[in-house]
Amino acid sequence: MFSPAYLKFLSAIVQQTIFVFLLIGAIFALVAGLVLIFRSEIAIRAGERVNRWVSTRAALRPLEEHHSIARPLYRMHRLVGILICVGALYSLVVLGSPQGDIPIAKMLSSMAPKGLAVFASESLRIILLVGNFGALLFGLVFAVRPSALKGLEAWTDRQISGRKASKPLEQVHLSTDTFVRAHPRLVGVLVTAGSLYVMVNLGVALLGSK
């Protein structure tokens, strides 16, 4: 566990970092608001230059390429099956012992009350026992008769495209840009007022902390 002095030091650093970022953001917003009020055409041109679309779908495309490892696994099915069985048996012996949930409880005790940590550790141990028992059965079948798993493999080997799911989020909506172009001074006044409000509150908080 961290000492109170270290936690206090870390909290002070986090608070100062947040304060600096908020102050920089408020100053930038104040400048942007004043430019929108007095020289709106410059602000609109600057916005058009920096308004570039970055597609995450193009970045995720390499991650969606299908790479099959079925052939080398089936070629070494006995070795792979034995390794799975050894790992599952070791986990079953450790988790099935009377003291099997103590390491899990110690890990969770620092993040939750004692009663909740005990309940969560016992539940997690049961889940791990069931999962490792299933892994043991899978390893035995894979080592002895891997062809029996062809149906299970065909059922589970499904590709879920994250790019397709995120496609609606990639659509461009320019309603905000259109509103700013139509009412630049109004938006400038609102942004200026908001930035001044943040800066005043940051000043009050800074003076209050001294």
Side-chain angles (χ1 to χ4, degrees):
M1 296 297 293
F2 298 113
S3 63
Y6 177 78
L7 291 176
K8 185 178 180 180
F9 173 73
L10 184 63
S11 175
I13 293 178
V14 172
Q15 290 178 2
Q16 291 176 5
T17 305
I18 294 174
F19 179 86
V20 171
F21 273 103
L22 288 175
L23 181 60
I24 293 174
I27 294 173
F28 178 80
L30 177 61
V31 173
L34 293 175
V35 174
L36 277 171
I37 294 173
F38 299 105
R39 299 295 297 274
S40 57
E41 66 281 357
I42 296 178
I44 292 174
R45 283 201 303 268
E48 291 174 351
R49 287 188 177 183
V50 300
N51 192 13
R52 298 181 181 179
W53 179 248
V54 179
S55 175
T56 58
R57 299 182 74 245
L60 292 174
R61 185 180 293 113
L63 301 178
E64 298 238 348
E65 294 179 359
H66 183 70
H67 301 280
S68 178
I69 59 172
R71 183 172 296 179
L73 284 180
Y74 278 106
R75 190 180 299 136
M76 302 182 295
H77 67 93
R78 288 187 179 87
L79 175 61
V80 175
I82 291 172
L83 291 176
I84 294 174
C85 290
V86 170
L89 281 173
Y90 175 78
S91 300
L92 287 172
V93 170
V94 173
L95 293 170
S97 63
Q99 311 296 327
D101 61 336
I102 291 180
I104 304 176
K106 287 183 178 179
M107 180 184 67
L108 296 177
S109 61
S110 60
M111 299 181 291
K114 183 178 180 180
L116 181 60
V118 172
F119 173 78
S121 62
E122 184 63 26
S123 302
L124 184 58
R125 184 172 76 152
I126 293 174
I127 294 173
L128 291 174
L129 284 171
V130 173
N132 281 281
F133 182 74
L136 177 62
L137 294 179
F138 176 85
L140 289 173
V141 176
F142 194 73
V144 177
R145 192 181 177 187
S147 59
L149 299 172
K150 288 288 186 180
L152 178 63
E153 179 188 356
W155 180 74
T156 57
D157 192 13
R158 301 177 184 179
Q159 184 177 6
I160 301 175
S161 176
R163 295 173 68 242
K164 184 181 294 184
S166 64
K167 187 176 181 179
L169 302 177
E170 294 271 345
Q171 296 177 357
V172 181
H173 301 281
L174 299 175
S175 56
T176 303
D177 298 82
T178 304
F179 181 82
V180 172
R181 291 192 186 97
H183 311 281
R185 288 180 174 80
L186 173 61
V187 175
V189 170
L190 295 176
V191 172
T192 302
S195 60
L196 288 174
Y197 175 79
V198 172
M199 293 175 69
V200 169
N201 280 274
L202 288 176
V204 171
L206 180 62
L207 293 175
S209 62
K210 292 183 178 181

